[in-house]
Amino acid sequence: MRERASTLTTVESEVRHQIVELETVTVRFAGDSGDGIQLTGTLFTNTTALVGNDLGTFPDYPAEIRAPAGTLPGVSAYQICFSSQDIRTPGDQPDVLVAFNPAALKVHLPDLPEGGMILVNVDAFTEYNLKKAGYTSNPLEDGSLAKYRVYKIPMTTATLSALREIDLPAKDKERCKNFWALGLVYWLFDRPLEPTLRWIEERFKKNPAIAQANATALRAGYAYGDAAEMFTVHYRVRRAQIAPGVYRKITGNEALALGLIAASQLAGRPLFYASYPITPASDILHELAVHKNFGVRTFQAEDEIAAMCAAIGAAFAGYLGATGTSGPGMCLKSEAINLAVMTELPVVICDIQRAGPSTGMPTKTEQGDLLQALFGRNSESPVAVVAPATPADCFYMAIEAFRIATKYMTPVILLSDGYLANGAEPWKLPSIEELPKIEIRFRTDPNGFYPYLRDPETLARPWAIPGTPGLEHRIGGLEKQHITGNVSYDPKNHELMVKLRAEKIARIAEDIPLLEVFGEPEGKVLVVGWGSTYGAITSAVEHWQRKGAPVSSIHLRYLNPFPRNLGEILPRFEKILVPELNLGQLALLLRGRFLVDAIPFSKVQGRPFKISEIIDRIGELL
Amino acid sequence: MTHGGDGQGTVVKLTKKDFVSDQEVRWCPGCGDYAILAQMQKVLPELGIPREKFVFVSGIGCSSRFPYYMNTYGFHGIHGRAPAIATGIKVCNPDLSVWVVTGDGDGLSIGGNHLLHAMRRNVDIKIVLFNNRIYGLTKGQYSPTSEFGKKTKSSPMGTVEPPVNPICLALAAEATFVARSVDRHTDHLAYVLERAARHKGVAFVEVFQNCNIFNDGAFEPFADRSVKEDRMVVLEHGKPLIFGKNREKGIRLNGTTLEVVTLGDGITEADLLVHDEKRPDPAIAFLLARMDYPEYPVPVGVFRAVEKPTYDELVNAQIETAIAERGPGSLEKLLRSGDIWVIE
């Protein structure tokens, strides 16, 4: 949030560089997808978390594993915003761009504000690389970067020189240049090297030469900053004033995996997670596969359909069945999700949305699957839908998804997205005691047992698992007779069952938190968001509130059913703005459900909203 | 002795009746499915497994109504996906006896992928594929096992696609138990189903099943009582392949080819191929599977029965190993794993 970035004080450093204190800084690392950009950004994030800043990150990488080196499509980037204040996004614009080659500079320069700092690897600015990036002249020499603060740094040669004593092929040494650059950025922002040195030692335990080379490069980059005369100052961002507690850094996918495990622990039933690899959901499968000592069974299925069906089988057998995928996989799973609707079995389906339609842009974020989650199946097919608002919220919503699924005997779709999945933030760890309990009650009594005899309060049918004597019964995708569960084609029965399934989902509204309005309970503009746009929307609304403007916001983490006070809140505002990373799907729902003039604010560029974009749009409505 | 639980932990004798559900069977009169249902209900009480431990899973098609008629746990799934549903059930509860009932369309067309992977993983489930070489429930289109050139509603000039041989497919997937029987050969069918039930690992059973409405008599040219002894050969482990009304014909392996020979004139039983269902390499089983009428007798029986670790067993063994090595998971510790920091 640049608007709050300000120079607070300037103090003499004990060495010869002055230290300038900043409140908020955004750094973007950019280079070839083979340069180790994501790793560099992640390590910088880990250290930044440990020094106690608030932070948000935005990894942005190509779908190709190794696109041709030096080309524009091959550029991978990682942005981190860190602050001594409470922040909610990875920052609108970078203050500092670390560009490892001309292509990275070309792709990311348009995002840099005037006066922004550029650290470039001057060694990579060869005629060949410039040509590949589409430069006709060298931007470092032709004056086109005059409005920026450019630092031309020989990262490759400095790395090779630092590693001259180490016995490794030159090619391997050159690959250490990301650690060298990381060391320099650590110096620039006055961060300790120890967390990264510890990581290097652990990661390259079996390859001491590589470990030594990376550690040496890291130290050399740091020392370069300290010794170079080109830097007159370096910067410090103080520990953030955030709530006391134990923290860790967490991405959305990590939080989701931990949340699924937590749900299993809270329910006292093992987790069965079936998935087919797909970007950006695969990391959930990877993470869960590690935690077998929690009784987690992971199943890498032969396809998306099998993953969903196996999760249904697991649920039938009494496990917490879950699957994870992204949009294209949701299309394939939809028939089987409907089977879970009809058989009324608790399965959690995690959709890590990405830009579509079809294969779309696999590594880019979007919120395009909302209507698919609600309606993308044949006939009347109500399912519960939840959407975490931040990376750490994925943990809580995974638990919530299973709480709802098992209490109401229904599939629940959890809508995350690429931005939440890969983005990181500090997470104040909850105490286990404050997590909700998930009560599982298997039916065991054969007396009066009917597979579709419903709980009068929740309308859930009994969960009777194979192996229970006396409860042998058959379920399936054919319409069921009310109570007995026998196959029925009776017209009135069908209508009754359609309505019962809808009513069951509607009743969940009684069991989820009411919406809290951020700001005044009535006013001129209400901004309504859902899912991953929480950070940008809240920051933008806060901006206007500080100026005294009558702007409030609400954020939906429950999309089906909606929280029961939504309909009361909407009419209290003159204008309703709905920012979404789609063409207005929530806006359509609000209009249809509540007859309000919801104004869609769409962005479909595979990128999250900038705070400034929402600030400007709200401004137009005031 | 046959046993089953009565819910009180004591052992009671189960009979065929215990496996008959209260649902009216709605297959067409004369359908081969009835015979298979009857044999299944006859075999299950013989296994000593309590009734509540059986789960029948199916897809879509005439055969897939099967679970409704069994008084066990049952799951009538969606088209072709029964092996995936069954895999989830079996991995989560390896104590269960999990059966998949499928057809040639369900298992080999829309669900071919799942069938393949359940077999190559060796999930300990029993798959019974009712092969009537036609789509019955959708009223008479050709199926992936319909013979080349078959005229149906959707192929008025005859099909132009060669059929798949289900046994060859199962062998190619290296299923650990592969067998075939015929709906009307009731004793043999019961034998094969019981063998499948007792096999540890995936069991694939193809049953030639007559659809008397849309493909009547499809197997009669070789399976009819009057001709079967001359036109079919029953595979029996450790025995030479002999067939014929007077048991005068046999199968000999000549190089990499099977040939039909007549005993006598210098050819004796010792020259014949001796069936070895336990042979690890499925190559000869594959040669047998390719035998078809009229060039050869059609083989029935157990093509292959080998032991390998099952998928569900291996998955659950990894869980036990992980718990033994790392101790049961602690959520508290898990949340605090990695780098943490404290804000005072």
Side-chain angles (χ1 to χ4, degrees):
Chain A
M1 295 200 307
R2 284 191 51 74
E3 56 173 301
R4 284 202 284 166
S6 58
T7 304
L8 299 177
T9 52
T10 303
V11 294
E12 273 304 310
S13 118
E14 50 282 10
V15 206
R16 60 186 174 285
H17 292 98
Q18 281 189 321
I19 285 202
V20 175
E21 286 211 2
L22 298 175
E23 188 186 282
T24 303
V25 176
T26 301
V27 177
R28 186 182 294 178
F29 297 93
D32 249 338
S33 45
D35 278 340
I37 298 301
Q38 298 305 318
L39 175 62
T40 308
T42 302
L43 291 171
F44 187 84
T45 302
N46 292 347
T47 299
T48 297
L50 286 175
V51 302
N53 295 136
D54 197 4
L55 64 88
T57 73
F58 179 55
D60 187 14
Y61 50 90
E64 295 76 16
I65 301 302
R66 291 278 190 278
T71 61
L72 302 179
V75 173
S76 171
Y78 187 104
Q79 180 163 311
I80 171 171
C81 178
F82 52 104
S83 177
S84 58
Q85 299 298 314
D86 187 12
I87 57 164
R88 302 188 188 89
T89 78
D92 279 10
Q93 300 171 296
D95 303 303
V96 180
L97 173 64
V98 183
F100 282 84
N101 66 9
L105 180 68
K106 182 149 198 186
V107 169
H108 292 286
L109 190 64
D111 292 338
L112 201 67
E114 253 180 62
M117 184 190 281
I118 304 174
L119 307 179
V120 288
N121 178 13
V122 71
D123 293 331
F125 280 67
T126 60
E127 206 172 315
Y128 179 70
N129 283 346
L130 286 164
K131 202 173 146 197
K132 268 206 286 193
Y135 279 116
T136 47
S137 68
N138 188 342
L140 302 181
E141 289 160 7
D142 64 10
S144 61
L145 302 178
K147 51 183 186 174
Y148 309 101
R149 288 179 289 153
V150 181
Y151 295 87
K152 298 180 230 177
I153 301 162
M155 297 182 190
T156 311
T157 49
T159 303
L160 292 174
S161 151
L163 303 184
R164 63 189 174 277
E165 307 282 317
I166 294 175
D167 185 24
L168 273 178
K171 210 173 157 195
D172 288 357
K173 289 184 186 177
E174 197 184 323
R175 290 178 59 185
C176 298
K177 67 175 181 299
N178 60 330
F179 279 95
W180 191 94
L182 181 60
L184 175 60
V185 182
Y186 278 151
W187 175 82
L188 193 62
F189 292 103
D190 193 34
R191 330 244 97 180
L193 299 183
E194 285 67 29
T196 303
L197 290 170
R198 278 200 305 272
W199 182 90
I200 291 171
E201 200 182 329
E202 179 63 29
R203 173 71 180 75
F204 299 107
K205 226 181 325 197
K206 289 180 186 152
N207 202 334
I210 298 285
Q212 193 199 351
N214 283 328
T216 306
L218 184 78
R219 288 198 182 93
Y222 191 94
Y224 181 91
D226 213 19
E229 293 186 352
M230 66 171 82
F231 298 104
T232 53
V233 294
H234 60 155
Y235 304 94
R236 179 175 293 161
V237 175
R238 286 191 180 272
R239 179 178 276 267
Q241 296 302 309
I242 45 181
V246 179
Y247 283 77
R248 70 178 281 185
K249 183 208 74 171
I250 195 103
T251 66
N253 274 351
E254 286 167 353
L256 188 43
L258 295 184
L260 294 174
I261 294 173
S264 148
Q265 296 280 304
L266 295 166
R269 292 300 301 160
L271 174 69
F272 178 88
Y273 182 82
S275 188
Y276 184 77
I278 184 170
T279 303
S282 303
D283 285 338
I284 302 167
L285 174 63
H286 307 160
E287 179 71 22
L288 289 172
V290 173
H291 300 296
K292 296 193 197 305
N293 61 327
F294 285 83
V296 178
R297 274 78 170 167
T298 53
F299 174 52
Q300 183 175 313
E302 58 270 24
D303 61 29
E304 297 280 0
I305 299 168
M308 182 62 209
C309 287
I312 291 173
F316 184 53
Y319 272 42
L320 296 194
T323 183
T325 187
S326 189
M330 284 298 280
C331 296
L332 288 165
K333 289 184 198 298
S334 56
E335 187 196 11
I337 295 173
N338 245 356
L339 179 64
V341 169
M342 199 61 153
T343 55
E344 305 194 33
L345 284 169
V347 180
V348 170
I349 303 114
C350 307
D351 175 7
I352 318 302
Q353 301 164 94
R354 67 190 216 191
S358 189
T359 311
M361 303 195 287
T363 58
K364 309 298 178 191
T365 197
E366 204 161 275
Q367 295 181 300
D369 298 353
L370 175 58
L371 294 181
Q372 180 185 25
L374 264 78
F375 306 117
R377 293 166 299 281
N378 63 303
S379 189
E380 296 293 342
S381 168
V383 299
V385 180
V386 299
T390 69
D393 195 34
C394 291
F395 176 81
Y396 301 102
M397 290 319 267
I399 296 172
E400 187 63 352
F402 263 125
R403 184 188 71 82
I404 293 170
T406 53
K407 183 168 176 183
Y408 293 86
M409 293 294 281
T410 176
V412 177
I413 294 175
L414 183 151
L415 289 174
S416 175
D417 60 30
Y419 173 67
L420 290 182
N422 294 316
E425 66 175 354
W427 176 34
K428 180 171 176 278
L429 297 178
S431 75
I432 307 298
E433 295 73 46
E434 71 196 32
L435 298 175
K437 293 283 164 286
I438 298 179
E439 263 186 70
I440 304 289
R441 278 174 299 174
F442 292 134
R443 175 81 188 205
T444 52
D445 184 3
N447 292 320
F449 168 72
Y450 292 100
Y452 278 73
L453 179 61
R454 295 170 189 279
D455 179 294
E457 185 201 335
T458 61
L459 298 182
R461 72 175 194 89
W463 198 357
I465 63 173
T468 314
L471 300 189
E472 293 85 353
H473 66 284
R474 277 66 57 192
I475 56 172
L478 288 171
E479 182 60 287
K480 299 287 168 285
Q481 188 178 51
H482 180 45
I483 300 176
T484 68
N486 290 330
V487 174
S488 169
Y489 295 141
D490 179 73
K492 293 277 191 219
N493 176 76
H494 174 56
E495 190 161 75
L496 174 67
M497 292 301 276
V498 166
K499 287 179 174 171
L500 277 171
R501 285 187 289 265
E503 171 65 14
K504 182 174 79 164
I505 299 304
R507 284 196 189 180
I508 297 169
E510 302 300 321
D511 196 20
I512 58 176
L514 292 174
L515 283 167
E516 285 174 30
V517 180
F518 177 65
E520 294 299 321
E522 53 187 43
K524 186 152 190 193
V525 177
L526 179 72
V527 186
V528 184
W530 68 277
S532 69
T533 52
Y534 170 77
I537 289 175
T538 309
S539 299
V541 168
E542 202 173 44
H543 166 93
W544 284 110
Q545 288 175 350
R546 277 202 307 271
K547 290 178 185 287
V551 180
S552 300
S553 63
I554 50 176
H555 204 78
L556 294 167
R557 293 155 78 230
Y558 297 84
L559 279 311
N560 198 37
F562 284 133
R564 59 190 186 281
N565 61 338
L566 176 58
E568 297 156 29
I569 296 170
L570 295 174
R572 297 196 205 124
F573 292 83
E574 284 174 40
K575 290 176 179 172
I576 295 164
L577 180 69
V578 189
E580 292 179 88
L581 301 176
N582 59 47
L583 291 184
Q585 299 190 9
L586 176 62
L588 180 75
L589 292 174
L590 295 179
R591 284 166 165 262
R593 198 72 60 83
F594 302 105
L595 275 174
V596 292
D597 185 19
I599 305 164
F601 177 36
S602 295
K603 180 175 181 180
V604 277
Q605 300 169 9
R607 301 185 137 250
F609 280 112
K610 290 180 180 175
I611 298 166
S612 58
E613 292 166 338
I614 300 176
I615 288 175
D616 293 349
R617 187 69 187 92
I618 294 170
E620 290 167 17
L621 295 179
L622 284 170
Chain B
M1 279 291 281
T2 58
H3 302 98
D6 64 351
Q8 311 300 318
T10 52
V11 169
V12 295
K13 184 178 164 65
L14 291 177
T15 64
K16 180 174 176 180
K17 227 170 48 201
D18 291 309
F19 288 92
V20 178
S21 84
D22 61 357
Q23 297 299 295
E24 182 195 358
V25 183
R26 293 196 198 161
W27 288 314
C28 308
C31 175
D33 290 0
Y34 284 95
I36 307 173
L37 177 65
Q39 293 316 308
M40 186 70 82
Q41 289 167 336
K42 192 179 110 186
V43 164
L44 295 195
E46 304 299 317
L47 299 173
I49 298 171
R51 189 175 63 182
E52 67 270 15
K53 299 224 167 177
F54 287 101
V55 184
F56 279 80
V57 187
S58 64
I60 295 292
C62 294
S63 60
S64 289
R65 299 295 177 96
F66 196 92
Y68 290 119
Y69 310 136
M70 297 292 300
N71 193 13
T72 63
Y73 283 92
F75 202 127
H76 180 210
I78 45 176
H79 211 1
R81 320 302 173 197
I85 297 170
T87 299
I89 294 171
K90 183 67 185 180
V91 167
C92 293
N93 191 348
D95 271 358
L96 301 172
S97 175
V98 180
W99 293 70
V100 166
V101 175
T102 183
D104 40 319
D106 188 64
L108 296 168
S109 191
I110 194 166
N113 194 31
H114 309 300
L115 183 66
L116 165 69
H117 290 281
M119 291 194 295
R120 63 128 181 129
R121 287 189 184 111
N122 197 31
V123 186
D124 187 11
I125 57 177
K126 318 302 154 203
I127 303 166
V128 186
L129 185 142
F130 297 13
N131 182 7
N132 57 16
R133 298 186 176 169
I134 198 77
Y135 280 15
L137 199 59
T138 51
K139 303 191 176 176
Q141 302 82 5
Y142 63 91
S143 93
T145 54
S146 296
E147 59 274 22
F148 187 93
K150 186 172 187 67
K151 288 185 179 170
T152 70
K153 278 183 189 160
S154 57
S155 58
M157 294 173 71
T159 66
V160 291
E161 48 187 273
V164 62
N165 178 328
I167 299 292
C168 288
L169 191 86
L171 291 168
E174 304 210 10
T176 52
F177 181 93
V178 180
R180 177 193 278 156
S181 192
V182 184
D183 53 4
R184 288 182 196 174
H185 301 182
T186 49
D187 288 350
H188 186 261
L189 177 59
Y191 165 77
V192 165
L193 290 176
E194 184 167 347
R195 283 287 312 274
R198 295 187 188 281
H199 174 73
K200 185 163 158 292
V202 74
F204 176 81
V205 178
E206 178 192 20
V207 183
F208 289 147
Q209 173 250 320
N210 190 45
C211 173
N212 55 323
I213 305 296
F214 294 108
N215 201 16
D216 195 25
F219 306 100
E220 257 173 36
F222 56 86
D224 188 76
R225 204 157 292 168
S226 59
V227 294
K228 70 173 186 180
E229 282 166 342
D230 281 326
R231 296 177 184 177
M232 300 189 82
V233 57
V234 180
L235 306 175
E236 291 176 282
H237 180 63
K239 296 190 179 167
L241 274 74
I242 300 177
F243 66 104
K245 271 205 180 67
N246 304 312
R247 298 191 59 77
E248 75 283 15
K249 286 180 274 190
I251 301 293
R252 183 167 71 177
L253 180 63
N254 184 0
T256 57
T257 313
L258 295 175
E259 56 188 17
V260 176
V261 293
T262 304
L263 292 168
D265 287 341
I267 297 176
T268 69
E269 278 191 22
D271 296 313
L272 301 182
L273 176 65
V274 174
H275 183 51
D276 179 8
E277 64 184 29
K278 295 185 193 312
R279 190 186 159 93
D281 161 15
I284 290 179
F286 190 78
L287 291 179
L288 292 170
R290 286 185 52 80
M291 294 200 304
D292 203 0
Y293 177 77
E295 292 79 15
Y296 292 98
V298 175
V300 290
V302 178
F303 288 79
R304 172 176 162 88
V306 299
E307 277 213 22
K308 282 185 185 174
T310 70
Y311 178 80
D312 38 295
E313 184 175 74
L314 293 172
V315 167
N316 286 292
Q318 284 194 347
I319 303 288
E320 280 164 30
T321 304
I323 292 171
E325 285 175 357
R326 289 182 260 162
S330 148
L331 188 56
E332 186 78 36
K333 274 193 209 155
L334 177 66
L335 296 188
R336 285 164 182 261
S337 59
D339 289 334
I340 60 165
W341 67 97
V342 178
I343 303 282
E344 303 288 345

